Amino acid sequence: MNIKANHRQPPNLFFEIVKGLGANKLTSALLVVIFASSLTVVQVTHLARGQLIEQDSLLQERDELDLEWRYLLVEEEFYSQHARIEEIAKSQLKMKRPTSQDEQVIILQ
């Protein structure tokens, strides 16, 4: 008689939890909502980190383009200096300033 009571196996905990949740529908519904909410938080956090990484790369690209634009402005200023243009015209193109005797006036009527 007593031998059976001493060798009794404890109830399976998982089945006891499921029975308890099945008995109380509100607790089951709240458990599902909490689980869904936690998965949503993980997903939103993942997406936010992805967007922050993309924002950092776009900011870095913007800085590189801004630096390149500044270099181009300096280069444009260098190539548009009148003294440099005049020097190239004299040395490479063999040009010279016209004198007053080389000028011709045309009158249109």
Side-chain angles (χ1 to χ4, degrees):
M1 296 186 282
N2 251 348
I3 297 172
K4 248 186 181 180
N6 287 341
H7 287 63
R8 196 176 117 201
Q9 292 183 351
N12 193 344
L13 183 59
F14 178 72
F15 290 122
E16 290 295 323
I17 291 173
V18 170
K19 268 194 327 188
L21 290 175
N24 193 346
K25 302 291 184 205
L26 179 62
T27 305
S28 300
L30 288 176
L31 182 63
V32 169
V33 168
I34 289 171
F35 185 70
S37 173
S38 64
L39 289 177
T40 304
V41 167
V42 169
Q43 181 68 22
V44 167
T45 304
H46 175 71
L47 292 174
R49 286 183 182 164
Q51 288 179 347
L52 281 174
I53 291 170
E54 183 180 356
Q55 180 186 17
D56 286 343
S57 67
L58 289 174
L59 287 173
Q60 183 178 2
E61 183 181 353
R62 183 195 68 182
D63 291 342
E64 290 170 0
L65 288 173
D66 186 48
L67 186 62
E68 183 181 352
W69 177 70
R70 290 177 190 209
Y71 284 140
L72 288 174
L73 284 178
V74 169
E75 186 177 358
E76 178 188 24
E77 184 179 336
F78 172 73
Y79 284 125
S80 66
Q81 291 175 352
H82 294 293
R84 183 178 180 283
I85 293 172
E86 188 173 348
E87 177 64 31
I88 290 174
K90 286 179 182 177
S91 64
Q92 293 178 4
L93 302 175
K94 308 294 188 231
M95 297 176 85
K96 62 178 184 172
R97 285 199 175 269
T99 62
S100 59
Q101 293 143 355
D102 294 334
E103 293 179 4
Q104 293 181 1
V105 178
I106 299 175
I107 301 173
L108 297 176
Q109 295 180 1

